[in-house]
Amino acid sequence: MVFDLNKLVRENVKRLISYSSARDEYNGSAQIFLDANENSFGSPLPQDYNRYPDPKNTALKEKIATLNGIDYAQIFIGNGSDEVIDLLIRLFCRPGVDDVLICPPTYGMYEVAAGINDAGVVRVNLTDEFELDSDAICKATTKNTKLVFLCSPNNPTGNSLSRNEILNIAKSFVGVVVVDEAYVHFSDQSSLVSEIAKYPNLVILQTFSKAWGLAGLRVGVAFANRGIVELLNRIKPPYNVSTVAQDMTMAALKNQRSVEKTIAEIKRERGRLADGLLHLPFVKIVYPSDANFLLIKVENADDVYRFLVGRRIVVRDRSKVVLCAACLRITVGTPDENRSLLNALTEYRAEIKSNA
Ligand SMILES: *Cc1c(COP(=O)(O)O)cnc(C)c1O
């Protein structure tokens, strides 16, 4: 079986005549732009935002292409990677007919985006060690399974998935394999972006929201073969990434060194935080993490969560999630924040001891 993009994509997308924006139809160096019903008088701000953004994200894609050693045509920019997840489902899944496969416990948006688009969800849990079960995944896919979502490093478990297993799935599956690398910058494993040339059905998602500290801008990136990128371009909202987001991300890319420093610091803090947590007797497991968070198993997760909220510290309660009973997910903060967290948890320990 071979991957055939043309067969996979929805017929209505193939037939679609994309919206042609003013900036698509003319992008030369005219002096006077009266083609887009913008306000030529400017903005009520120190800086003008009266012009629509570049719909093609040209400068940003060129920069990202150079940094990753790949072609401009292999890059798509979304309004956060959440938008790309939604667009991928819309591209391939006929509502009420097709489905996506996910491997719980994992990022919740795959399922939500599938639900919004009335796509079915096939679940193949990770193993007890949070590894991929690639045999079970291949068995569970049907002719209507269009996308497999894999998250590596995985949220909320923190571990990276096996590169070989991911590529084996990409080899044997006739649909599209999406690898969400939102946390790859915190991992010692390298990105799979270099594999897109070899695997025409591989889509790699990355984001500026985590390591790059730009969650408020909403900029996500997909790396894929040009056929898939062309299709994403056809269906995206014309101005999906704002001028502010494009300009600020370009500016941030000039400070790569400072991002590398932050990443190193977060990884150091991750180790310190893990050590501190392991000293607390009610913490049963601190799972190894390749990300900027730690998943921990505790006695009485609900109690710990509420105690922390009482101390005005909020972590993520994952205890209702499959394979994550009694688990909390804790983002690695600044040294001060992590100290406050550990101090609060030490007080919690003293409290349960005196109540015992
Ligand atoms: C945070 C997160 C995202 C969201 O990325 P945005 O670019 O902010 O939309 C995507 N995938 C995973 C696994 C995440 O944890």
Side-chain angles (χ1 to χ4, degrees):
M1 287 196 290
V2 286
F3 172 70
D4 183 347
L5 183 58
N6 195 48
K7 256 196 183 145
L8 213 63
V9 67
R10 281 167 66 195
E11 286 300 325
N12 62 306
V13 173
K14 279 194 239 174
R15 284 194 308 268
L16 183 77
I17 299 165
S18 304
Y19 179 73
S20 179
S21 69
R23 286 298 167 271
D24 282 319
E25 292 189 3
Y26 183 86
N27 60 7
S29 54
Q31 295 283 314
I32 299 176
F33 284 96
L34 302 174
D35 58 344
N37 296 348
E38 296 152 338
N39 188 329
S40 295
F41 291 78
S43 316
L45 289 171
Q47 190 167 348
D48 281 332
Y49 293 104
N50 55 326
R51 299 297 174 184
Y52 278 106
D54 169 16
K56 296 194 172 74
N57 301 294
T58 316
L60 190 51
K61 283 202 281 192
E62 276 169 358
K63 183 77 188 160
I64 293 171
T66 309
L67 289 172
N68 285 278
I70 61 168
D71 202 272
Y72 171 92
Q74 295 170 306
I75 297 175
F76 177 82
I77 312 279
N79 192 285
S81 36
D82 283 351
E83 184 186 43
V84 189
I85 293 166
D86 176 68
L87 290 174
L88 284 166
I89 295 173
R90 287 206 233 178
L91 213 43
F92 297 110
C93 294
R94 292 164 294 175
V97 179
D98 294 324
D99 49 52
V100 308
L101 187 147
I102 63 170
C103 300
T106 193
Y107 185 48
M109 275 308 288
Y110 313 136
E111 187 159 353
V112 173
I116 292 169
N117 292 294
D118 197 16
V121 177
V122 177
R123 291 174 195 80
V124 177
N125 288 354
L126 296 174
T127 67
D128 289 339
E129 287 76 44
F130 300 145
E131 310 281 356
L132 284 176
D133 186 346
S134 46
D135 288 340
I137 290 171
C138 291
K139 270 191 210 127
T141 57
T142 70
K143 66 177 193 340
N144 291 329
T145 309
K146 296 300 176 72
L147 294 157
V148 169
F149 283 99
L150 306 174
C151 187
S152 181
N154 187 42
N155 177 4
T157 59
N159 61 307
S160 298
L161 303 176
S162 148
R163 196 181 176 91
N164 277 338
E165 297 247 342
I166 294 173
L167 294 176
N168 280 338
I169 294 167
K171 236 178 262 174
S172 52
F173 179 51
V174 291
V176 171
V177 175
V178 183
V179 183
D180 187 341
E181 293 188 338
Y183 299 98
V184 75
H185 310 90
F186 302 105
S187 165
D188 295 329
Q189 295 211 22
S190 50
S191 163
L192 284 165
V193 168
S194 55
E195 302 292 334
I196 57 171
K198 265 185 267 165
Y199 297 86
N201 60 338
L202 195 58
V203 177
I204 310 296
L205 301 182
Q206 290 185 8
T207 176
F208 282 92
S209 298
K210 308 285 159 66
W212 280 85
L214 299 172
L217 290 181
R218 313 305 304 128
V219 183
V221 187
F223 300 92
N225 84 69
R226 33 194 94 207
I228 294 177
V229 170
E230 266 167 36
L231 288 166
L232 287 168
N233 283 330
R234 283 176 76 105
I235 66 165
K236 82 178 184 83
Y239 302 116
N240 62 328
V241 184
S242 76
T243 304
V244 181
Q246 293 188 43
D247 290 353
M248 290 295 110
T249 306
M250 284 295 286
L253 283 165
K254 296 203 175 85
N255 293 329
Q256 182 140 17
R257 288 272 293 284
S258 102
V259 175
E260 278 157 16
K261 264 174 63 186
T262 313
I263 291 169
E265 220 173 308
I266 289 171
K267 285 162 91 171
R268 215 167 28 240
E269 278 301 307
R270 179 178 72 196
R272 284 201 195 123
L273 185 57
D275 286 346
L277 290 164
L278 279 169
H279 278 97
L280 298 163
F282 65 90
V283 175
K284 294 299 162 201
I285 306 176
V286 178
Y287 292 96
S289 173
D290 273 347
N292 65 341
F293 57 83
L294 292 169
L295 187 74
I296 65 171
K297 198 183 273 295
V298 297
E299 276 165 18
N300 220 335
D302 221 41
D303 233 32
V304 178
Y305 178 83
R306 273 180 291 146
F307 181 88
L308 288 175
V309 169
R311 296 292 145 108
R312 307 180 64 186
I313 298 171
V314 55
V315 299
R316 193 95 152 110
D317 183 356
R318 298 283 79 185
S319 60
K320 307 286 180 296
V321 170
V322 62
L323 296 178
C324 294
C327 285
L328 301 173
R329 193 195 68 192
I330 303 174
T331 306
V332 177
T334 63
D336 273 353
E337 289 172 336
N338 301 332
R339 228 178 342 262
S340 299
L341 172 77
L342 288 172
N343 287 342
L345 291 173
T346 306
E347 283 172 40
Y348 172 79
R349 183 202 172 183
E351 202 162 287
I352 50 172
K353 233 172 150 181
S354 66
N355 288 346

